[in-house]
């Protein structure tokens, strides 16, 4: 939500579909904000607090915020992959990531109906990672994270 407030497009919340050409499209679910984030988003507090609280199956309290400005629905190439690391203290830092680390994390979070990637799917994912700019964002303060991601994006 903070990135949307900063002018970024919203493709989906956590889920993106990748085709065999390596093009991706977010799945347009409502933005799910866990209870720990409600106070972090100062500029959107009224919109967030006006949404009802739901308890998910994993027992987390969330508010579903919709609508937000959606990204165009077409499939697009993935130019940048940013791994997110939140910590309790310290400045926001963007650092380079080795392709094997990015690939490992994407494979760990990947889902297929067969519950495994076939060789074609793995090759598509490998091609995406090989062609993307890879980074890790480590942060404690959301405003710093948004600012550094904005600068990182502008440097593309």
């Amino acid at each position: 939500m903070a990135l949307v407030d900063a002018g970024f497009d919203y493709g989906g919340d956590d889920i993106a579909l990748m085709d065999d050409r390596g093009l991706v499209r977010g799945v347009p679910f409502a933005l799910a904000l866990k209870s720990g984030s409600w106070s972090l988003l100062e500029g959107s507090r009224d919109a967030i607090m006006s949404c009802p609280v739901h308890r998910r199956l994993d027992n987390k309290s969330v508010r579903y915020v919709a609508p937000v400005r959606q990204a165009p629905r077409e499939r697009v190439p993935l130019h940048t992959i940013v791994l997110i690391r939140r910590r309790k203290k310290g400045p926001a830092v963007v650092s380079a990531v080795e392709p094997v680390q990015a690939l490992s994390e994407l494979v760990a979070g990947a889902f297929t109906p067969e519950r495994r990637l076939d060789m074609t799917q793995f090759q598509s994912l490998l091609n995406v990672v090989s062609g993307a700019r890879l980074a890790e964002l480590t942060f404690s303060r959301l405003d710093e994270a948004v600012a550094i991601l904005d600068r990182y994006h502008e440097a593309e």
Side-chain angles (χ1 to χ4, degrees), residues 15-119:
I15 300 173
L17 304 176
M18 186 181 80
D19 67 17
D20 58 353
R21 299 169 297 159
L23 300 177
V24 296
R25 178 175 62 90
V27 177
F29 290 121
L31 188 60
L33 299 175
K34 294 178 194 137
S35 59
S37 70
W38 301 342
S39 64
L40 299 176
L41 299 159
E42 294 291 330
S44 301
R45 184 175 303 225
D46 291 342
I48 293 166
M49 299 314 275
S50 69
C51 297
V53 177
H54 298 274
R55 181 144 333 257
R56 294 190 324 198
L57 292 175
D58 62 2
N59 209 30
K60 297 203 187 280
S61 295
V62 297
R63 293 178 190 264
Y64 293 100
V65 180
V68 296
R69 187 183 68 255
Q70 296 283 320
R73 300 302 315 141
E74 71 259 8
R75 295 177 185 274
V76 296
L78 202 57
H79 297 291
T80 304
I81 298 170
V82 179
L83 306 177
I84 305 296
R85 306 278 185 255
R86 189 160 179 211
R87 61 183 172 190
K88 292 186 188 265
K89 292 182 181 182
V93 177
V94 173
S95 54
V97 170
E98 291 295 322
V100 70
Q101 181 184 352
L103 184 62
S104 174
E105 294 202 26
L106 290 171
V107 167
F111 173 82
T112 69
E114 296 79 28
R115 297 189 185 264
R116 60 179 293 160
L117 295 174
D118 65 30
M119 285 305 290

